[in-house]
Structures are given as structure tokens and as C-alpha cells.
Amino acid sequence: MELKIIHLYPDVMNLYGDIGNIICIKKRLQWRGIDCSVKEIGLGEKADFSEADLIFIGSGREEEQKTLHADLLENKAGALRCAAEAGTSILAIGGGFELLGKYIELSDGSRLELAGVLDMHTVGGKSRHTGNYMFSTAFGKVVAFENHSGSTYLGEDLESLGKIEKGYGNNGEGEEGARWKNVFGSYGHGSLLPKNPALCDEIIRAALSRRYGETELAPLPDEAEKRAHSYMAERLEK
Ligand code: GLN
């Protein structure tokens, strides 16, 4: 068994150590004896996701979104929509999550059309929402760090990834991230996955199950991961 990851825009979307998510996925696969390959696709390359099990996009500011916007529409958006529709897993963080939406209204008032994978849009704001935060999902409580000025609004039929328990999330109205088919979007940095092993395993399980049929993952001890998770959850619950 092998999980094939495509890391999209590692050259541009690389804020806040989001690459820790790929390290975490690789490690949890390695512990279970499952192979993993990572291919990078950057600016100017025509994307082909037909071989991918999981596409990862890290975060970036409005500046980075402006930098890659033309390339996204020309070389990646159509392939991203097809891949998501076909059930390929996508994990997108922060500005990378915003890229999956229909458009962003930048804080200078201009508007960028985006990939249109998810029925949502983002509005850039003047104030930042920064801090540790927590949301509840189908895979338990997730703790992470948010740092964004954009607020994201989901279309009526698009589900969020979780309900905010502490923090701002998509737009201050109680929802965090998005989940559609095997697409996972979140504002969670930290990196997101290392201290949220249940979420990491759900993303791995969904990606492997699509290629190999319903796949169960062997449990891992996760002692350090659970300690890191509960330390932050307890701090936020106070
Ligand atoms: N571009 C967004 C913002 O600055 C997202 C930043 C981020 O990736 N957290 O609001």
C-alpha cells in the first residue's frame, strides 16, 4: 500500500510550518508500514492530479494569493475541481483553504476569482483573528492555532469541518473550516495534524479507502499526541 501525496504550491504557500502536516501523515503511515510519496507541483506547472491520493495546500497571505492567482486559474483550478469531484482527498490550510473557494474580496477592495472547488467565498478584513482555538468535529475536538484576517462564508449546502468551541473560526459565527466529499479545509495551523491524531487518521483512512477499498488503520499508542492535545484542550476549556 502506498499513499501518494501532491504538495501544491510548496514554493508560495508555506506559512506557519504547515508542512508539519505532511511530516505527520508520513510518520503515521511509516509507523504502520505503509509507504508514502510526496510530489511537489509549483507555480507555472500544469497540474495533473490523476495519480494523487491526497493533495495538500499550505497557507499564505493575500500577497501570495495574488502571486499565484493567474496560475491557479490557468493551470490548476479545473484539475482541482475534477479531483475533488472524483473523491481525491484534499487538505488545505488557511490561505490555501481560501483558495478552494469561489473568490476572495481582498482587503484593498479588489476581487480574485479562485478555484471554485468549494461553494464558499472569503472577505479580507482589517483585523486579525489570532490565537489558540478549538472546534468539535465528527472525529472529536480539534485544537489548533488561527491567524487570519480573512473571513470565510460557506454556501448553504456546504458543511463546516466543525463547530467552534473557543476562537473565531471561519467568520466569528460558530463554524470552522469546510468538509465536502474528501476535501478538508481549515484555518488551523500549529501544525494542525500532529496534536490531532484522530483527524489525521481520518484523512489518511479516507484517502487509502478510495484507492484500496474500505481500509482500517491499526491503532497507534499516541501517548505524546494525546498529551499535547489534552494540554491545549484543558487550557482552552478554562
Ligand atoms: N490570507 C489569509 C489572511 O491573511 C489567510 C492567512 C492564513 O493562511 N492563515 O487572512
Side-chain angles (χ1 to χ4, degrees), residues 15-16 59-62 65 94-95 98 128 147-150 189:
L15 268 185
Y16 308 131
S59 54
R61 304 163 304 160
E62 289 189 358
Q65 292 172 326
E98 295 171 354
R128 298 199 75 73
N147 186 0
H148 55 109
S149 53
H189 305 287

Side-chain angles (χ1 to χ4, degrees), residues 46-219:
K46 194 93 197 156
D48 174 1
F49 300 120
S50 53
E51 290 294 302
D53 298 314
L54 172 65
I55 301 162
F56 174 75
I57 317 171
S59 54
R61 304 163 304 160
E62 289 189 358
E63 279 316 303
E64 281 79 45
Q65 292 172 326
K66 282 192 227 171
T67 301
L68 61 74
H69 159 253
D71 178 71
L72 175 72
L73 295 188
E74 194 179 327
N75 292 320
K76 274 80 172 183
L80 270 174
R81 288 194 296 271
C82 289
E85 186 66 54
T88 306
S89 293
I90 301 179
L91 172 63
I93 306 292
F97 164 47
E98 295 171 354
L99 287 187
L100 295 182
K102 292 183 164 170
Y103 64 89
I104 179 168
E105 278 171 28
L106 299 174
S107 37
D108 65 8
S110 60
R111 175 169 159 152
L112 297 179
E113 300 303 316
L114 296 172
V117 172
L118 298 175
D119 178 17
M120 61 179 214
H121 70 276
T122 299
V123 180
K126 297 270 179 262
S127 55
R128 298 199 75 73
H129 310 288
T130 305
N132 291 303
Y133 75 134
M134 178 161 64
F135 50 99
S136 55
T137 71
F139 333 103
K141 287 186 185 178
V142 171
V143 291
F145 183 80
E146 62 181 332
N147 186 0
H148 55 109
S149 53
S151 289
T152 291
Y153 297 87
L154 309 186
E156 221 170 87
D157 294 330
L158 179 60
E159 277 178 34
S160 64
L161 180 61
K163 303 265 177 226
I164 287 290
E165 302 223 347
K166 200 79 176 234
Y168 186 81
N170 286 348
N171 55 36
E173 289 172 11
E175 305 289 334
E176 158 61 23
R179 170 89 199 259
W180 177 67
K181 293 196 172 209
N182 288 330
V183 180
F184 298 78
S186 174
Y187 275 111
H189 305 287
S191 314
L192 174 66
L193 297 181
K195 52 183 185 289
N196 295 293
L199 176 62
C200 185
D201 280 357
E202 175 55 23
I203 292 169
I204 293 173
R205 196 201 55 74
L208 289 175
S209 293
R210 176 173 168 268
R211 183 168 299 275
Y212 297 101
E214 208 47 51
T215 302
E216 290 294 318
L217 295 175

